[in-house]
Amino acid sequence: MEIQQLNPQNNQQIPANVQKIAYRANILFFNEDPYFKETQEDALTFYKDGLLVLDLEKGTVIEAGNYEEMRAKHASVLISEEYKDKLIMPGFIDCHTHYPQTEMICSFASSLVNWLNTYTFPTEEQFKDINYAKKISQFYLNELLKNGTTTALVFATIHPESVAALFDEAIRLNMRIITGKTMMNRNAPEFLQDTVEGSYRDSLDLIQSYHNVGRCLYSITPRFAPTSTQDQLNVAGQLKHQFPDTYIHTHLNENLQEVDWVKSLFPESENYLDVYDKSNLVHKHSVFAHCVHCTQPELDKMKQIQCGVAYCPTSNGFLGAGMFPYHQAVQNGINFGMGTDVGGGTDFGMLRTLQDAYKFIMVSQQHVENRRPMTSFEGFYRATLGGCKALSLEHKIGKFLPGYEADFVVLDWCVNDIQRLRFENIEKRASTTQQSTATSESLKLSTIKPGDDKYLLQDKLFGLMMMGDSNNVYSTHLAGIKRYQRGNKI
Ligand SMILES: [Zn+2]
């Protein structure tokens, strides 16, 4: 059978009647957490000259593999060479973010409380207007796509309109978005407070209207313990009981002042997590943002439940929350992914988020002699499959295995002079030292030899992780369909 092939031109249109397509590219995905592997490369699949075969009708992956092998096996499938020499990986997962704060990202403040009162609450008030909510929803989801993010767990506001607007736009894009109405009935301005009954009723309506519609999922969302009365937390737990496959999304142990505040508001609770637990809010499908200051009993509980945690380094730094105990979290078996926490976070993208994570993890080991940095494999794992696991979606997204939803990002390894020079240096250096240099005293030397597809991959990904940003995102695809391409209107 004759193989059909698209010319390797940028943005070449795929014929409308095509049901299957295959993309030739460098193809990467993770199968497990590389952290504990003797050779971290064993945790991932990488094809230097690969082919990703998709079923566009179903929006799913048929198979990924070596180009020559896949080409022979799927001889009738149209092949696109548009991404040849680019890197395809599963779309990035943002495990915690606030879409109403899009317009106030990077606002100057001395503390979380000042920041909330000065910028956040007045900004969030605007979302009582459905038209405003629609406008920002479109802007926000487009911003995610520009950054290669294909799934996010998102805070809206107390206004049901804010949730409906985001879900409607996600349905239009066929995007996997999890969000829900913020529940907040105390310790906030009057204009941003709801009531126990009202928050229950609005949440119920939204669950019935949007949960499992398209690829949307609902999260029951008390903002955080201090802004809900015990009664409201209990009502949130009641909703979870009624709809067991919905999510719980809230904040936990973000900064020390907040931890003290929770202690004074809920003196009968053993710790902060226990406040949520007493209201039936700690489950596998619960996702807690930040978790910077967890106690050992809290870590033990989170490990036991395998609830999700969002590590938000840009926000932890920007708002001075503290340093997430990365190694402690991994070694305690905490199920965590990465979050941008926009607008407390300073960037919409996972690449910049990983850059901050890397630096904080280094700084947190300032007194450690034999430091262990976060490798690029660990970073990209957390931004993809690790995030899927934190959201309990690892059986649907995050890998290029048969039947997985075809959400992916196409990245340019280099988009400017310094990235190219840096990239060339990796190969030049390797040819003289004959080994990967991306190792530390506490990590074993890579055993990957020249000629192996994975040779120098850790070094190349490290360059991309530390120097990349949204400019490196060439295109972003949801359920197989291209929804963003750099420099082009779609
Ligand atoms: Zn947050």
Side-chain angles (χ1 to χ4, degrees):
M1 194 176 292
E2 195 183 326
I3 295 161
Q4 307 168 57
Q5 208 139 337
L6 289 173
N7 288 328
Q9 291 170 357
N10 288 354
N11 200 25
Q12 189 181 8
Q13 290 298 311
I14 298 165
N17 59 349
V18 166
Q19 293 174 359
K20 292 176 183 171
I21 191 161
Y23 291 110
R24 186 178 190 181
N26 305 154
I27 295 170
L28 168 72
F29 63 94
F30 289 86
N31 300 297
E32 58 185 311
D33 182 356
Y35 189 93
F36 294 106
K37 303 294 280 186
E38 186 122 324
T39 304
Q40 290 207 338
E41 283 86 347
D42 290 346
L44 60 92
T45 299
F46 180 68
Y47 303 104
K48 197 171 182 182
D49 186 9
L51 199 64
L52 177 62
V53 189
L54 305 177
D55 184 329
L56 292 179
E57 265 190 333
K58 291 182 183 161
T60 54
V61 173
I62 294 174
E63 199 173 7
N66 176 275
Y67 172 73
E68 292 297 342
E69 196 184 315
M70 289 295 109
R71 196 172 87 125
K73 192 169 167 187
H74 300 278
S76 64
V77 176
L78 182 70
I79 293 174
S80 168
E81 302 243 345
E82 186 184 348
Y83 308 141
K84 194 165 177 280
D85 301 324
K86 298 183 192 297
L87 173 65
I88 293 183
M89 71 168 80
F92 296 131
I93 312 296
D94 190 342
C95 293
H96 176 67
T97 163
H98 300 244
Y99 98 86
Q101 296 173 13
T102 298
E103 67 192 85
M104 48 156 288
I105 188 170
C106 297
S107 295
F108 179 82
S110 61
S111 72
L112 175 64
V113 172
N114 288 346
W115 180 81
L116 286 169
N117 288 325
T118 311
Y119 307 105
T120 313
F121 292 145
T123 302
E124 291 194 1
E125 191 190 6
Q126 302 171 97
F127 288 75
K128 63 188 178 196
D129 174 359
I130 182 78
N131 291 321
Y132 194 74
K134 280 182 181 170
K135 182 180 145 191
I136 299 296
S137 291
Q138 285 174 11
F139 185 97
Y140 170 79
L141 291 183
N142 192 47
E143 206 60 31
L144 292 191
L145 295 174
K146 274 187 196 173
N147 282 280
T149 297
T150 51
T151 285
L153 173 59
V154 190
F155 257 75
T157 67
I158 64 154
H159 314 98
E161 294 85 352
S162 70
V163 180
L166 189 65
F167 272 142
D168 286 343
E169 182 62 7
I171 290 167
R172 190 183 72 77
L173 291 167
N174 196 16
M175 189 168 188
R176 249 200 196 287
I177 288 293
I178 313 170
T179 190
K181 185 201 117 63
T182 303
M183 302 169 82
M184 180 158 67
N185 70 340
R186 66 167 170 172
N187 292 323
E190 287 274 319
F191 59 80
L192 275 186
Q193 286 188 36
D194 55 14
T195 61
V196 173
E197 299 74 26
S199 63
Y200 174 80
R201 198 181 49 244
D202 287 344
S203 300
L204 182 68
D205 284 351
L206 288 162
I207 291 170
Q208 289 170 337
S209 302
Y210 289 105
H211 185 52
N212 286 318
V213 173
R215 300 169 78 202
C216 296
L217 296 163
Y218 193 86
S219 58
I220 298 158
T221 313
R223 186 174 204 119
F224 67 146
T227 50
S228 287
T229 58
Q230 185 68 60
D231 283 349
Q232 189 172 52
L233 293 176
N234 291 344
V235 151
Q238 191 185 324
L239 280 165
K240 175 68 181 167
H241 182 72
Q242 280 177 265
F243 301 94
D245 68 335
T246 54
Y247 287 79
I248 301 291
H249 183 199
T250 189
H251 298 86
L252 177 70
N253 288 320
E254 179 173 357
N255 69 56
L256 292 170
Q257 292 76 18
E258 168 210 5
V259 175
D260 286 344
W261 193 17
V262 170
K263 242 179 237 167
S264 69
L265 290 170
F266 300 91
E268 71 290 355
S269 289
E270 284 171 36
N271 52 50
Y272 196 160
L273 186 65
D274 188 47
V275 174
Y276 294 135
D277 198 23
K278 280 191 161 64
S279 295
N280 187 39
L281 298 173
V282 182
H283 296 273
K284 175 87 174 72
H285 281 58
S286 301
V287 181
F288 299 103
H290 300 289
C291 298
V292 173
H293 303 286
C294 289
T295 59
Q296 192 59 47
E298 289 173 304
L299 291 173
D300 292 344
K301 176 82 181 177
M302 290 193 286
K303 179 184 180 179
Q304 179 207 333
I305 301 286
Q306 281 299 293
C307 56
V309 166
Y311 171 20
C312 309
T314 75
S315 168
N316 292 345
F318 184 71
L319 291 172
M323 285 185 278
F324 179 80
Y326 171 77
H327 290 300
Q328 189 190 11
V330 182
Q331 287 160 13
N332 275 273
I334 302 302
N335 179 18
F336 70 95
M338 305 304 296
T340 61
D341 194 25
V342 164
T346 54
D347 199 273
F348 283 84
M350 272 303 140
L351 294 172
R352 289 241 174 111
T353 300
L354 292 176
Q355 286 157 29
D356 275 17
Y358 180 86
K359 293 170 194 168
F360 281 123
I361 290 164
M362 286 304 270
V363 172
S364 70
Q365 298 177 89
Q366 60 189 297
H367 300 298
V368 178
E369 200 175 317
N370 189 15
R371 291 178 196 160
R372 178 169 175 167
M374 179 180 76
T375 66
S376 60
F377 292 147
E378 293 168 25
F380 281 106
Y381 164 76
R382 288 292 159 196
T384 56
L385 184 61
C388 298
K389 283 188 173 168
L391 302 183
S392 300
L393 290 171
E394 72 273 23
H395 304 299
K396 290 188 162 74
I397 50 174
K399 295 179 187 175
F400 294 139
L401 294 180
Y404 271 66
E405 295 170 9
D407 287 353
F408 60 94
V409 56
V410 182
L411 293 159
D412 276 311
W413 289 100
C414 308
V415 287
N416 56 36
D417 292 344
I418 184 60
Q419 287 185 4
R420 271 184 285 276
L421 187 69
R422 165 75 172 71
F423 203 75
E424 286 162 14
N425 174 268
I426 295 171
E427 306 231 348
K428 197 168 69 183
R429 193 159 28 85
S431 68
T432 54
T433 61
Q434 288 301 307
Q435 67 179 25
S436 166
T437 52
T439 53
S440 79
E441 301 82 349
S442 53
L443 290 171
K444 289 201 166 183
L445 283 173
S446 174
T447 53
I448 305 296
K449 295 279 184 293
D452 190 308
D453 269 10
K454 295 173 182 172
Y455 181 60
L456 301 181
L457 182 61
Q458 147 82 2
D459 304 69
K460 289 175 180 174
L461 283 173
F462 189 73
L464 179 63
M465 178 172 92
M466 295 309 292
M467 299 176 81
D469 58 25
S470 61
N471 290 309
N472 291 76
V473 175
Y474 179 78
S475 62
T476 305
H477 302 240
L478 301 174
I481 306 298
K482 189 192 292 186
R483 296 292 183 179
Y484 165 76
Q485 178 164 333
R486 192 179 59 219
N488 284 77
K489 267 252 174 275
I490 291 182

